[in-house]
Structures are given as structure tokens and as C-alpha cells.
Amino acid sequence: IPVEDFDLVIFGATGDLAKRKILPGLFRRYVAGQITDNCRIIGAARSQMDDNGFRAEATQAIAEFTKTPADDPQLAGFLKLLSYVPIDAKGTEGWAVLKERMRSGVVRAFYFSVAPSLFGDIAERLADNGIADANSRIVVEKPFGRDLATAKALNATLARHFHEGQIYRIDHYLGKETVQNLMAVRFANILFEPLWNAQYVDHVQITVAETVGIGGRGGYYDQSGAMRDMVQNHMMQLLCLTAMEPPYHFDPDAVRDEKLKVIRALEPVGVDDIVRGQYRARGDEPDYLTDAENPDSRTESYVALKVLISNWRWQGTPFYLRTGKKLRARTSEIAVVFREPPHSIFDDDEGQRPNELVIRLQPNEGMNLKVMIKEPGPGGMRLVQVPLDMSFAEALGPEGADMPDAYERLIMDVIRGNQTLFMRGDEVEAAWAWTDPIIAAWENGKDRPEGYDAGSSGPEEALRLLHRDNRRWREIA
Ligand code: BG6
């Protein structure tokens, strides 16, 4: 179903995100028929370029990231929607031209794909020049601040010109099909929810493991580290969706209210409950310090932590989170490990293992429920655990194999005016309020992150985080 006609302005249209995600994503939605020929996409950036220059850049980006040949007929149609305005975010150049370019009677959306230091300038100029109206939407990218104070300042800056209902803060993990599927699994089935609490769940493991290093973006990453780059946002969202109470409706504020309650219920993390690591060289692969071009860096490229949620549902059930760069495999998953049955009726219960529900977010998206059955054969009642394994690609056919990229979904939601999959200001601030003391303790201390070999499963110390609780991490494979 096509979305309403829109004028979408992309600030930072010549940047990496626009080329890698935004333009290819918009093109795919055009091909899918969701964006009609009556929509306009206006690139805005500092470079001096005309419409055709921008179209040529877009053609190249789309070719690279969607494997579409430059003479594709649909690409020609898409390029007609594009135009370009050179603009100075901090000055006066371009704003009058942009104003003229905007049509009335269509949805106006402004994508701030620029450094956060420019958010305020752009918001102000959009408002002062009368380019944005009360119905316009703005889209902002992470990092949304680097601590509570800067996030609050950013929220206040945006709030001077836009109300909360107009602000779409992107966390692209929420756009992933499998992440949304978490809500479907939990709230569209009766099977899981009765067991989804501390009485039946022993613990939860949330893993986002990456094989890539930080090469090429060390300047940004070294100032952030895994805690700011992944835990405060993406991991936090996964934690919230796993732990939250059922919202009364799948509605933006209902969902975000429940997520916020989870964040507010998080206990502060003690130094013993967190491990940070930094990758070491292996073979030809450089170490973190070389990639970061900072020989003294104490920034973490890996973090593992034990998180406790102080509420009725989760009292006493730890959530173990880990994420890192240059690990053995690229895999993101949420594993809910249930308790063992309270009593065994079987004489030979050696094979007994706890049930486990693993939701694979990427790659090989799917779900795996591990259940106990009788081992076939005449040898008496012996137990064995088997997987009930479902892969999206197999269960859903081509649609399951070819899922839209997170950005496609999210940009279409902006046009539809649906904020469910975007972070609300108070949510971001609460996440920083919990993250800040952890980072402050590191920054004020003298310890270095523990080294781990590139291509390994992370630092040894992270294993001990679970061993001391008589638990084990799942393999990163
Ligand atoms: C980004 C982080 O937000 O998410 C990157 O800045 C990280 O460091 C990326 O690699 C992971 O996203 P995905 O979609 O590849 O899992």
C-alpha cells in the first residue's frame, strides 16, 4: 500500500548513512510500489552540486548497495524524484531555495543525517524560515548525546522548535523485522507469556556479536566504545522488548511507556558485574589500538554485563548482555533459558536439560525452542533434548528470506506518522541515566579493558561472569 505523498529532505545527503542506507532503502520502497511518483526527495548538504550531480551520486550508491544496474528502468523513475539544494546548516545559504522547493498539501519530513552538533542549527532554520510546520516530522540519528546531560540538552534544543510527536529518534534495531517479531512472539501467542517471568525463567542471554572491527571509523568509535555505541541503545531496546509488560495496545505511547518502566527498574550495575574488553591483533588483523589510531586508548570494543530488573516479574532472574567487535562470528540472539521442572518422575533423568527459547535476530533469522523428548529405542525411558527449529526463510518463503532493511521500514513509518518504533525523549534519557555511572567509573578509574584475541568469543573474564552463577554463555557460532 503506497504511503501518502511526501517531501523528504535529507540533510547530510552526501554522507555515508545516506548512501549506504537511506537512498538505497527509499529506492527499494519505490520498487515495492510504496513510494509513488508524486513524492519528492530533496538532498541537502554543503557540497556544491546540481540535481544531476546528486542523481549521479545516488545512482552509484544504489548500484553499490542494492546491486541495481545504472540503466534499470525503475531507477530512472526513482531518480526523477530526487533533487538537490546546497545548504549551509549554520549560515543562510540555501534556505530560501529549500523553502521554495517544498510543496503544500503533502507530508513534510526532514532527516537529520548529520552530526548532532548541527541538530540545533537545522531545527532553528527550518522553523525560522517557515519551512517546517506543526505537521512536519524530523528524523534524528544516534548518537543521541554521549551522556545524560548532552541528551537532555539535545532534547531541549529540538523541543524549542518541535513537539515530541514530531520527533523520530532512530534506533535501527527497532526496524529489524526480527526485533519486531519479539513482540509478536510474546504477545500474539498464549504459550510463552504465562512462563515469561522469574518463576519459570532462570536467566536471559542477549548477544550481539560482530566480526567487523572499528577500522575506518575509529575517530567516532574511540570516543564512544561498546557501552555508548551498542548497549545504551540497541541492547537496551532488546532488553526492554524482552522484559516489558504487555502494552494495552500496539500503540506508540503504550509500547514506549512499558519500555520506560523497564529502564527505570534496572538496578545499578556493580563493578563486579561488568567486563570490558579490547581486541588484540591476530594474524594479519590489527589490534584495537592500531585501528583506533590511539596507542593509549582505554575504550572498550567488548562489554558483558549482568543486569537485574527490580520489579515483580523479574526479581532474581538475571539478564546477561554481551556485545563486541571482532568476535568469532556475527550473530545476534536472545536466549530465554527456563528453569528445570520442579521434580523428575523419571529414574534416568540424566539427559534432562532446561528448555530454552532462542530468538535469532541475525543472520539466519528464526526461532529455536529446545524441548525434551524420549530418546527413541528400547533402552528404557531416556531423555534427550531436541530443537523445534524455525527459520524465517524456510517458513515464510521468499518474503522470509528477503526481509526489508530496518531503515526502509522506519522511514515509511515516519511518513505514516507512526512513532511506535522510535525512541521517546524520556526513554533515551532514562537509558543514559543508567549508563552514565558505569562509564564514569571506568573513566575515573585506571584499569584497562581486558584483551581478547580477534576472532575469539571475547575476554576470559566474561566467562567467569556466568560461571560464578553456575551458568554458561551460549557459543558464539
Ligand atoms: C551501529 C553501531 O549503530 O550498529 C555499529 O554504531 C554497529 O558499531 C551497528 O556495527 C550494528 O548494526 P547491525 O544492523 O549491523 O547489527
Side-chain angles (χ1 to χ4, degrees):
I1 309 169
V3 291
E4 272 178 77
D5 295 344
F6 62 79
D7 282 351
L8 169 67
V9 180
I10 307 171
F11 293 102
T14 53
D16 192 57
L17 183 74
K19 289 185 177 156
R20 204 174 271 280
K21 296 287 184 186
I22 306 175
L23 289 166
L26 287 165
F27 173 62
R28 279 197 218 97
R29 291 297 94 205
Y30 177 78
V31 172
Q34 227 174 351
I35 296 180
T36 70
D37 288 322
N38 235 340
C39 298
R40 298 283 174 270
I41 297 160
I42 303 155
R46 281 183 63 165
S47 316
Q48 294 298 330
M49 204 174 11
D50 60 11
D51 294 346
N52 282 333
F54 182 52
R55 289 183 187 131
E57 287 209 354
T59 304
Q60 220 174 41
I62 290 167
E64 183 174 352
F65 295 106
T66 68
K67 310 273 169 273
T68 305
D71 57 359
D72 182 277
Q74 282 185 298
L75 180 58
F78 177 75
L79 292 177
K80 287 196 193 128
L81 315 186
L82 304 191
S83 65
Y84 183 82
V85 179
I87 215 155
D88 180 1
K90 287 181 172 294
T92 52
E93 188 204 341
W95 294 96
V97 182
L98 181 60
K99 180 172 182 174
E100 222 161 85
R101 196 71 62 89
M102 308 296 294
R103 301 169 298 166
S104 48
V106 300
V107 172
R108 288 184 185 187
F110 302 92
Y111 202 126
F112 291 20
S113 177
V114 295
S117 55
L118 294 176
F119 288 1
D121 294 302
I122 297 178
E124 192 176 285
R125 282 164 180 73
L126 285 175
D128 291 354
N129 289 292
I131 302 173
D133 54 30
N135 197 20
S136 301
R137 289 143 211 181
I138 61 168
V139 185
V140 295
E141 272 293 332
K142 80 177 253 272
F144 200 86
R146 53 177 287 106
D147 52 22
L148 178 60
T150 47
K152 275 189 168 168
L154 262 181
N155 275 334
T157 302
L158 296 180
R160 274 203 289 281
H161 307 288
F162 298 94
H163 60 79
E164 185 62 33
Q166 298 179 281
I167 305 173
Y168 290 72
R169 295 179 195 78
I170 288 206
D171 182 312
H172 80 280
Y173 266 58
L174 290 175
K176 290 184 191 274
E177 286 286 331
T178 43
V179 174
Q180 295 164 49
N181 181 48
L182 250 177
M183 285 186 276
V185 168
R186 282 195 61 196
F187 304 129
N189 294 290
I190 201 163
L191 280 179
F192 305 112
E193 204 48 28
L195 304 180
W196 210 263
N197 57 56
Q199 193 182 345
Y200 297 104
V201 177
D202 178 72
H203 72 281
V204 176
Q205 297 186 14
I206 303 182
T207 301
V208 176
E210 298 185 276
T211 49
V212 292
I214 58 141
R217 60 202 282 263
Y220 151 77
Y221 192 91
D222 200 44
Q223 297 298 314
S224 299
M227 199 69 196
R228 287 190 174 99
D229 185 53
M230 296 294 288
V231 178
Q232 187 272 345
N233 36 75
H234 307 325
M235 302 288 282
M236 180 66 81
Q237 292 297 327
L238 299 179
L239 170 70
C240 284
L241 295 179
T242 310
M244 72 184 183
E245 296 300 316
Y248 69 86
H249 192 244
F250 190 59
D251 148 289
D253 278 327
V255 171
R256 298 185 298 177
D257 286 346
E258 296 306 337
K259 288 196 292 170
L260 180 62
K261 286 184 210 161
V262 174
I263 306 176
R264 293 209 168 129
L266 297 180
E267 286 186 17
V269 179
V271 280
D272 294 340
D273 287 338
I274 186 156
V275 175
R276 52 185 176 141
Q278 200 181 62
Y279 59 82
R280 288 189 292 239
R282 202 176 71 167
D284 297 341
E285 302 192 38
D287 63 0
Y288 178 89
L289 302 175
T290 311
D291 277 345
E293 297 177 23
N294 178 2
D296 301 320
S297 175
R298 292 197 299 143
T299 301
E300 76 288 356
S301 60
Y302 174 100
V303 64
L305 60 167
K306 175 179 177 181
V307 177
L308 295 170
I309 305 174
S310 238
N311 65 14
W312 195 296
R313 185 189 283 257
W314 293 117
Q315 198 60 48
T317 290
F319 283 63
Y320 299 99
L321 273 47
R322 64 181 160 165
T323 181
K325 304 278 186 205
K326 286 257 174 128
L327 294 175
R328 172 178 299 158
R330 174 170 186 256
T331 175
S332 299
E333 60 171 38
I334 298 171
V336 179
V337 182
F338 292 91
R339 297 192 189 279
E340 297 206 358
H343 165 74
S344 174
I345 65 166
F346 302 110
D347 291 335
D348 183 359
D349 60 1
E350 260 186 28
Q352 179 73 53
R353 299 270 177 283
N355 294 125
E356 221 173 279
L357 174 68
V358 181
I359 301 176
R360 291 189 304 267
L361 304 175
Q362 62 188 31
N364 188 16
E365 294 80 355
M367 276 167 52
N368 185 349
L369 179 64
K370 296 191 180 162
V371 293
M372 300 303 301
I373 61 163
K374 175 188 176 300
E375 194 175 77
M381 178 58 88
R382 296 172 68 91
L383 303 176
V384 63
Q385 191 173 58
V386 291
L388 280 175
D389 206 349
M390 189 275 285
S391 115
F392 278 13
E394 284 167 23
L396 304 175
E399 274 181 31
D402 186 24
M403 285 186 288
D405 182 71
Y407 279 88
E408 295 177 42
R409 162 76 201 242
L410 293 175
I411 299 172
M412 292 301 94
D413 277 358
V414 172
I415 306 298
R416 291 190 200 99
N418 184 343
Q419 290 188 305
T420 310
L421 300 177
F422 296 84
M423 291 176 301
R424 209 168 53 192
D426 51 2
E427 209 183 318
V428 178
E429 290 183 12
W432 279 121
W434 176 80
T435 316
D436 272 4
I438 300 173
I439 297 176
W442 290 338
E443 288 178 352
N444 296 333
K446 295 229 169 344
D447 295 346
R448 297 188 52 79
E450 194 186 322
Y452 63 94
D453 290 340
S456 71
S457 302
E460 289 291 312
E461 201 54 43
L463 300 180
R464 283 195 279 280
L465 194 65
L466 268 73
H467 280 174
R468 57 167 209 206
D469 294 347
N470 285 322
R471 298 180 175 116
R472 277 191 338 165
W473 287 112
R474 287 170 44 78
E475 290 282 315
I476 294 181

